Amino acid sequence: MTGGPATVGAVGSGGAGAPPVIELRGAGLTYPGPPPVEALRPCTLTVRAGEYVTIVGPSGSGKSTLLNILGLLDVPTAGTYRLNGTDTTAVPDRQRTALRGHRIGFVFQSFHLLPHRTALENVALATVYNQAVPRRQRRARAREALERVGLAHRTDASPPHLSGGERQRVAIARALVARPALLLCDELTGNLDTVTAESVLALLDELHGDGMTVLVITHDPAVAARGRRTVRIRDGVLTEQPAVAA
Ligand code: ADP
């Protein structure tokens, strides 16, 4: 692709007509170096409420850079990023941090659970610094999130007593507890065997079925194929993949 910024997903599948959750407009990131590295070329990407989008690319293609921007962990050096209509590039750090807590649920390859706490405590603790969840509702909301991921019977188990798949479900419950607008997943099946990975991907299908906006970043084409829309990233350039007929 040559010329101006890549334009990806002006109208998405599934969420067509729904309000945009993610709007990147000419957004790019160059690490200052020296030498400077243009890790994300200016791109335009729209993800609407209720979409399930995967972003796939090999190592070094710019996935982490894009994830950091989408997750409000880094600010693009060019262009804008609107999340639920708020231009995140124009607000102070404090507000960006609040937006991150209120709007985004992160799921990582490593589960990052506290080993000596129960599943319920792990999920509830995630809300301590998050004003989106009132203090008195923490445990009830954590229980609700664990029920949502099929772990109502494991709330009192601690991570060493949970299987890999159950740990990732706890991590997904933790991501859901503040009722975010966007579930942002980074290689979420990277530490799981094929069968367990499938059950976690099936859970994402369910969450998407419930209306959750899901964005998965992966190097794995099989994981990428689960999205209703796939965007390829290569050398920092985003390219929408043609939809596969159902
Ligand atoms: P991926 O997650 O797909 O492996 P990254 O987003 O980590 O890709 O990296 C994209 C490019 O940016 C790579 O060429 C990488 O070496 C470079 N890069 C990543 N982080 C930095 C940094 N902090 N400073 C300079 N270059 C970086």
Side-chain angles (χ1 to χ4, degrees), residues 31 37 39 58-65:
Y31 293 108
V37 177
S59 179
S61 57
K63 297 188 299 300
S64 304
T65 303

